[in-house]
Amino acid sequence: MKIDERHLAQLAAVVQAGGVTEGATMLGLSQPAVSRTLAMLEKRLGEPLFLKGRRPLQPTPLGRALADHGQAILTSARKASSLVEGFRHGRTGLVRVGGTPFFMDALIAGMVAGFQNSLPDVRVEQSYGYLSELKAAIVADRIDLAICPIDMLEEGSGMHFQELLPGRNVVACRVTHPLLLKRKLSGPELLDFPWIAPPPGSPLLADLRSLVLSLGATETKIRYAGGSLTSAINYMKESDALTILPHSVVFAYRNDRAITALPVEIPHPERALGLLRRSGDLGAPAIEAFSVHLRKSFENLRHLIKRHEQSVIWGI
């Protein structure tokens, strides 16, 4: 015998509420409609569902057993409704974000944590890559958003880019580096010290090459390569090595008082750190909520950097 799940759900509501009127109200149905459902169900089963003359209504053993199944249906339906409601308002879902390694480690990971403090049921999957890899991942629908520096987005790329922070790279070193003691620093002196190679394929590496060429050289002393951001910083802290880092990354580590920036300009093209996504792509609400959170976080970071540079001489 096949029993309509909706009938079981109505039975469960009546048992839970202790009356037909109350159960109907719980479900948003009319009392006569629920009464008809229960009468029809009893007729089909050939057994009573409630003990006669009892108030509030008390189910028979069969009524109780069927109501338990109906309760499971009600619970599942409520969870599904809650899931849909959460999805529509960006409180649940999946965000797949990719980005350049140093930015993701120094800045984005903390912003993800802040986002999930408010929306803990949104899952964030993070991956690494540089511009060409990130664009390919967006096209292949492996990620929803990319966070990366761009100097120019070619027309007709099918991508939309929204600036988050001006792109500025600096020469980073430990806070006790000998070059910081010089009253006037000349560029060629940078070549007297060892260097940490930025990641292959990164704008940082391209900027190091531009800096070396601008100093009239073709190569520099690379002493360490292939490490993560954390390993590069730890290496710098224990040596006189220099490296190229994003201005915002060095700023993010200011409270550690371990690394800083040398007062030298790096020749590099105008670029910006921003959000890259497919043009016209209306992402899921959770993706939009995450995008809004990133924009607000970077706006706050922009103000912090400006205020800090107005109060101290740093990386100029």
Side-chain angles (χ1 to χ4, degrees):
M1 175 186 296
K2 183 176 181 180
I3 300 176
D4 193 320
E5 290 88 350
R6 292 172 298 176
H7 296 173
L8 293 177
Q10 291 180 38
L11 172 61
V14 171
V15 170
Q16 181 180 341
V20 177
T21 301
E22 295 83 352
T25 300
M26 182 188 299
L27 297 173
L29 301 173
S30 68
Q31 182 269 331
V34 175
S35 293
R36 286 194 298 272
T37 294
L38 295 179
M40 182 172 58
L41 186 56
E42 284 187 329
K43 184 176 180 181
R44 187 173 183 197
L45 293 172
E47 296 287 343
L49 295 172
F50 295 93
L51 300 174
K52 291 186 178 182
R54 301 290 181 90
R55 290 291 182 273
L57 290 178
Q58 295 184 24
T60 63
L62 177 61
R64 169 62 68 185
L66 291 175
D68 288 343
H69 288 290
Q71 186 60 51
I73 294 170
L74 282 177
T75 300
S76 180
R78 287 169 184 150
K79 287 181 178 179
S81 297
S82 177
L83 177 66
V84 171
E85 190 70 12
F87 178 85
R88 286 176 175 170
H89 290 85
R91 296 192 299 268
T92 62
L94 171 66
V95 179
R96 302 168 300 171
V97 57
T100 51
F102 285 6
F103 277 121
M104 298 302 281
D105 290 351
L107 299 171
I108 306 305
M111 293 178 183
V112 170
F115 173 73
Q116 291 180 319
N117 285 338
S118 300
L119 298 172
D121 293 327
V122 177
R123 178 178 173 183
V124 178
E125 292 182 355
Q126 175 182 304
S127 57
Y128 296 110
Y130 293 104
L131 182 57
S132 60
E133 300 165 312
L134 295 171
K135 287 170 62 176
I138 291 174
V139 171
D141 194 32
R142 294 194 300 271
I143 61 174
D144 306 302
L145 301 168
I147 304 170
C148 56
I150 291 182
D151 50 15
M152 182 178 68
L153 188 63
E154 62 272 18
E155 187 176 353
S157 65
M159 297 288 168
H160 173 72
F161 181 75
Q162 183 174 22
E163 180 177 333
L164 296 172
L165 202 66
R168 175 187 167 196
N169 292 336
V170 295
V171 177
C173 64
R174 62 186 173 96
V175 293
T176 55
H177 198 282
L179 288 177
L180 292 169
L181 301 176
K182 291 185 174 290
R183 183 169 299 179
K184 188 173 181 180
L185 178 62
S186 66
E189 291 178 284
L190 300 175
L191 301 178
D192 295 334
F193 291 88
W195 283 78
I196 302 170
S202 69
L204 301 174
L205 182 58
D207 289 353
L208 174 57
R209 289 170 178 159
S210 296
L211 175 62
V212 171
L213 290 174
S214 72
L215 298 176
T218 57
E219 61 181 22
T220 189
K221 295 180 285 188
I222 298 295
R223 292 292 181 266
Y224 186 66
S228 64
L229 174 61
T230 300
S231 62
I233 290 175
N234 286 335
Y235 188 94
M236 267 192 295
K237 287 161 59 176
E238 301 298 328
S239 71
D240 286 336
L242 306 172
T243 194
I244 305 293
L245 286 179
H247 174 277
S248 54
V249 169
V250 177
F251 179 80
Y253 282 88
R254 68 194 182 282
N255 292 332
D256 293 348
R257 293 182 172 85
I259 63 170
T260 188
L262 289 173
V264 294
E265 293 291 337
I266 298 178
H268 62 67
E270 291 290 329
R271 63 169 71 100
L273 177 71
L275 275 177
L276 184 69
R277 64 193 308 173
R278 197 192 303 266
S279 296
D281 185 17
L282 295 177
I287 298 172
E288 298 309 311
F290 183 68
S291 300
V292 170
H293 175 77
L294 284 180
R295 291 196 294 270
K296 289 181 179 177
S297 298
F298 272 99
E299 185 63 26
N300 292 336
L301 179 62
R302 188 194 298 257
H303 289 314
L304 283 174
I305 291 175
K306 184 176 180 180
R307 188 185 312 156
H308 187 73
E309 291 190 331
Q310 288 174 342
S311 62
V312 298
I313 298 174
W314 186 88
I316 300 175

